[in-house]
Amino acid sequence: MILEITTYLAVFIFSMAVWLPIYKYVVSNWVQQATIERIESGDIDLNYLLDEGGVFDSLAERTVTLFKHHMLAEMGQLSRAAANSPDNITDPVAAGISASEEILKGLGMKKPPAILQYKMAQALGRMAEGAEVATAPNFDPSAEFYKQ
């Protein structure tokens, strides 16, 4: 059993040691030369691919969209992990995010997106700052309207 596995492994390593250099130095040059000849003869319209066809534009757009989705997914995982961390009990930012998550869950969302939680926490923070200003001892709300 071990002898068979060792034999197959040796054959695989030997074949890779032979075929990889052949492909890298011989086959890839053949493909490169054939592609250049097709571009020069007009079989492949490189201007269409680069400018009008939108091939690279759509590829870049799909790549950016994929990165955006991954970033948002990671952000959601990080916010959920931060919300469950015992170190964040006294942190006002974590409290704002958890409060916004509970509000959004109360509105019927099962798993609110992290960016929505963050934006709502910002709004709650601005509301809390406004409430602190409104309850200040020397605050006169009518002074806003009578400024010269």
Side-chain angles (χ1 to χ4, degrees):
M1 173 80 176
I2 294 181
L3 183 62
E4 279 182 22
I5 293 173
T6 308
T7 305
Y8 290 135
L9 184 64
V11 168
F12 176 76
I13 291 173
F14 177 75
S15 64
M16 286 296 117
V18 170
W19 286 110
L20 285 177
I22 289 174
Y23 178 77
K24 182 176 181 179
Y25 296 111
V26 178
V27 176
S28 64
N29 286 335
W30 289 344
V31 171
Q32 178 184 9
Q33 289 170 358
T35 305
I36 290 172
E37 287 173 5
R38 288 184 67 196
I39 290 171
E40 289 173 349
S41 70
D43 290 342
I44 298 176
D45 188 8
L46 197 58
N47 291 328
Y48 175 77
L49 288 176
L50 293 175
D51 298 329
E52 301 162 9
V55 173
F56 295 107
D57 293 337
S58 66
L59 180 64
E61 183 178 324
R62 282 187 281 164
T63 304
V64 168
T65 303
L66 181 68
F67 282 143
K68 179 180 157 187
H69 289 299
H70 282 295
M71 180 199 65
L72 290 174
E74 292 296 324
M75 183 184 257
Q77 290 175 356
L78 285 175
S79 68
R80 286 181 184 80
N84 295 329
S85 176
D87 299 335
N88 292 333
I89 292 174
T90 59
D91 186 18
V93 174
I97 290 177
S98 65
S100 64
E101 180 182 13
E102 292 303 318
I103 290 171
L104 291 170
K105 282 183 180 178
L107 291 174
M109 298 180 88
K110 290 184 179 182
K111 284 188 175 182
I115 195 74
L116 189 58
Q117 289 178 21
Y118 177 73
K119 292 293 184 182
M120 188 164 196
Q122 280 182 333
L124 289 173
R126 284 194 300 269
M127 287 173 55
E129 289 172 2
E132 289 173 3
V133 170
T135 58
N138 297 330
F139 179 71
D140 183 13
S142 62
E144 288 280 324
F145 298 106
Y146 298 112
K147 284 187 179 177
Q148 300 286 334

